[in-house]
Amino acid sequence: MAQGKFVAYYRVSTARQGQSGLGLEAQQEAVRTHLNGGSWQLVAEVVEVESGKRNDRPKLAEALRLCRMHGATLIIAKLDRLARNVAFISNLMESSVEFTAADFPQANRLTVHILAAVAEHEAQMISARTKAALAAAKARGRKLGGDRGNFLNVRDRGNAASVAVRGGKADRRAADLAPVMRELQAGGASLRQVAAKLNVRGIPTARGGAWSAVQVKRVLERVT
């Protein structure tokens, strides 16, 4: 049975389908049937109306933002409709958002990685060809080898990269939350009241706890 929070993402191919609901109602029914039973909350439903020639997915970006903000799982009706879509796969893999499909409940972000197997295989083939070329060069007497005396610099670059990744995630989450916070402030809410309203809406902090005025202030300062 389904547990936790979900954001549903539906895709229809043309504006006409979007207006008529053709295909959309079937996707909605599939999601609701999958979520039937258990303890779950459907936070939002996002509909993408697109043509086959479009590569941008603004509504997908919105759905992923909502997932990050609420700590929710992205759910779609049919995996086969999106599994072959390069834009969907790349956006999902970069989003750090958990994922499930109503027609394939076992699918998740790990499944999406499998969909990139062809590209990974090609990279491995390139690596194998490179190693073979280096081996051939060594056999011809060419001196090979890297700079093994530069360990400290390499280590420092790795630490800096790790800090940058963590900072990037914090920046992205702050960018997701800031519009909601500013909207509440525009309505006259203080920092403490903004924190209370976020808690009422079920939007968790980065560590999954409750909001305080200080945390709201830090998020707003981060995006300023």
Side-chain angles (χ1 to χ4, degrees), residues 73-74 79 88 92-93 97-101 104-115:
T73 297
L74 183 74
L79 181 61
F88 174 80
L92 185 60
M93 290 178 68
V97 168
E98 290 303 322
F99 154 83
T100 190
F104 187 11
Q106 295 79 16
N108 52 31
R109 291 184 69 246
L110 291 177
T111 309
V112 177
H113 282 271
I114 297 175
L115 300 175

Coordinates of all heavy atoms in Angstrom, one line a residue, residues 73-74 79 88 92-93 97-101 104-115:
T73 N 7.2 12.0 -3.3 CA 7.6 11.1 -4.4 C 6.9 11.5 -5.6 O 5.7 11.7 -5.6 CB 7.3 9.6 -4.0 OG1 8.1 9.3 -2.9 CG2 7.7 8.7 -5.2
L74 N 7.6 11.5 -6.7 CA 6.9 11.8 -8.0 C 6.3 10.5 -8.5 O 6.9 9.5 -8.5 CB 8.0 12.3 -9.1 CG 7.4 12.7 -10.4 CD1 6.7 14.0 -10.3 CD2 8.5 12.7 -11.5
L79 N 5.0 4.2 -17.1 CA 6.5 4.4 -17.3 C 6.9 4.4 -18.8 O 7.7 5.2 -19.2 CB 7.2 3.2 -16.6 CG 8.7 3.3 -16.7 CD1 9.3 4.6 -16.0 CD2 9.3 2.1 -16.0
F88 N 13.0 13.8 -19.9 CA 12.4 13.4 -18.6 C 13.5 12.6 -17.8 O 13.6 12.9 -16.6 CB 11.2 12.5 -18.9 CG 10.7 11.8 -17.7 CD1 9.8 12.5 -16.8 CD2 11.0 10.5 -17.3 CE1 9.3 11.9 -15.6 CE2 10.5 9.9 -16.2 CZ 9.7 10.6 -15.4
L92 N 15.0 13.9 -14.2 CA 14.7 13.1 -13.0 C 16.0 12.7 -12.4 O 16.1 12.7 -11.1 CB 13.9 11.9 -13.4 CG 13.4 11.0 -12.3 CD1 12.5 11.7 -11.3 CD2 12.6 9.8 -12.9
M93 N 17.0 12.3 -13.1 CA 18.2 11.8 -12.6 C 19.0 12.9 -11.8 O 19.7 12.6 -10.8 CB 19.1 11.2 -13.7 CG 18.6 9.9 -14.2 SD 19.6 9.2 -15.5 CE 21.1 8.8 -14.7
V97 N 15.0 13.4 -6.7 CA 13.6 13.1 -6.3 C 13.3 11.6 -6.5 O 13.6 11.0 -7.5 CB 12.6 14.0 -7.1 CG1 11.2 13.5 -6.9 CG2 12.7 15.4 -6.7
E98 N 12.6 11.0 -5.5 CA 12.2 9.6 -5.6 C 11.0 9.5 -6.6 O 10.3 10.5 -6.8 CB 11.8 9.0 -4.3 CG 13.0 8.8 -3.3 CD 14.1 7.9 -3.9 OE1 13.8 7.0 -4.6 OE2 15.3 8.2 -3.7
F99 N 10.9 8.4 -7.2 CA 10.0 8.2 -8.3 C 9.3 6.9 -8.3 O 9.9 5.9 -7.9 CB 10.8 8.4 -9.6 CG 10.3 7.8 -10.8 CD1 9.3 8.4 -11.6 CD2 10.8 6.6 -11.2 CE1 8.8 7.8 -12.7 CE2 10.3 6.0 -12.4 CZ 9.3 6.6 -13.1
T100 N 8.0 6.8 -8.8 CA 7.3 5.6 -8.9 C 6.4 5.7 -10.1 O 6.0 6.8 -10.5 CB 6.6 5.1 -7.6 OG1 6.1 3.8 -7.8 CG2 5.4 6.1 -7.4
A101 N 6.0 4.6 -10.7 CA 5.0 4.5 -11.8 C 3.9 3.6 -11.4 O 4.1 2.5 -10.9 CB 5.7 4.0 -13.1
F104 N 4.1 0.2 -13.0 CA 5.3 -0.5 -12.7 C 5.8 -0.1 -11.3 O 6.8 0.7 -11.2 CB 6.4 -0.3 -13.8 CG 7.7 -1.1 -13.6 CD1 7.7 -2.2 -12.8 CD2 8.8 -0.8 -14.4 CE1 8.8 -3.0 -12.6 CE2 9.9 -1.6 -14.3 CZ 10.0 -2.7 -13.4
P105 N 5.1 -0.5 -10.2 CA 5.4 0.0 -8.9 C 6.8 -0.2 -8.4 O 7.4 0.5 -7.6 CB 4.4 -0.7 -8.0 CG 3.3 -1.1 -8.9 CD 4.0 -1.4 -10.3
Q106 N 7.5 -1.2 -9.0 CA 8.9 -1.5 -8.6 C 9.9 -0.5 -9.1 O 11.0 -0.5 -8.7 CB 9.3 -3.0 -9.0 CG 8.5 -4.1 -8.4 CD 7.1 -4.3 -9.0 OE1 6.8 -3.7 -10.1 NE2 6.2 -5.0 -8.3
A107 N 9.4 0.3 -10.1 CA 10.3 1.2 -10.7 C 10.6 2.4 -9.8 O 9.8 2.8 -9.0 CB 9.7 1.8 -12.0
N108 N 11.9 2.9 -9.8 CA 12.3 4.0 -9.0 C 13.4 4.7 -9.7 O 13.7 4.5 -10.9 CB 12.6 3.6 -7.6 CG 13.7 2.4 -7.6 OD1 14.5 2.3 -8.5 ND2 13.6 1.6 -6.6
R109 N 14.1 5.6 -9.0 CA 15.3 6.3 -9.6 C 16.3 5.3 -10.1 O 17.1 5.6 -11.0 CB 15.8 7.3 -8.7 CG 14.9 8.5 -8.4 CD 15.5 9.6 -7.5 NE 16.5 10.3 -8.2 CZ 17.8 10.2 -7.9 NH1 18.2 9.5 -6.9 NH2 18.7 10.9 -8.6
L110 N 16.5 4.1 -9.4 CA 17.4 3.2 -9.9 C 17.1 2.6 -11.2 O 17.9 2.4 -12.1 CB 17.5 2.0 -8.8 CG 18.1 2.4 -7.5 CD1 18.1 1.2 -6.6 CD2 19.6 2.9 -7.6
T111 N 15.8 2.4 -11.4 CA 15.3 1.9 -12.7 C 15.7 2.9 -13.8 O 16.0 2.5 -14.9 CB 13.8 1.8 -12.7 OG1 13.4 1.0 -11.6 CG2 13.3 1.1 -14.0
V112 N 15.6 4.2 -13.5 CA 15.9 5.2 -14.5 C 17.4 5.1 -14.9 O 17.7 5.4 -16.1 CB 15.6 6.6 -14.0 CG1 16.0 7.7 -14.9 CG2 14.1 6.7 -13.7
H113 N 18.2 4.8 -13.9 CA 19.6 4.6 -14.3 C 19.8 3.5 -15.3 O 20.7 3.6 -16.2 CB 20.4 4.3 -13.0 CG 20.7 5.5 -12.1 ND1 21.8 6.3 -12.3 CD2 20.0 6.0 -11.1 CE1 21.7 7.3 -11.4 NE2 20.6 7.1 -10.7
I114 N 19.0 2.5 -15.2 CA 19.1 1.4 -16.2 C 18.8 1.9 -17.6 O 19.4 1.5 -18.6 CB 18.2 0.3 -15.8 CG1 18.6 -0.3 -14.5 CG2 18.2 -0.8 -16.9 CD1 17.7 -1.4 -13.9
L115 N 17.9 2.9 -17.7 CA 17.5 3.4 -19.0 C 18.7 4.2 -19.6 O 18.7 4.5 -20.8 CB 16.3 4.4 -18.8 CG 15.1 3.7 -18.2 CD1 14.0 4.8 -18.0 CD2 14.6 2.6 -19.2

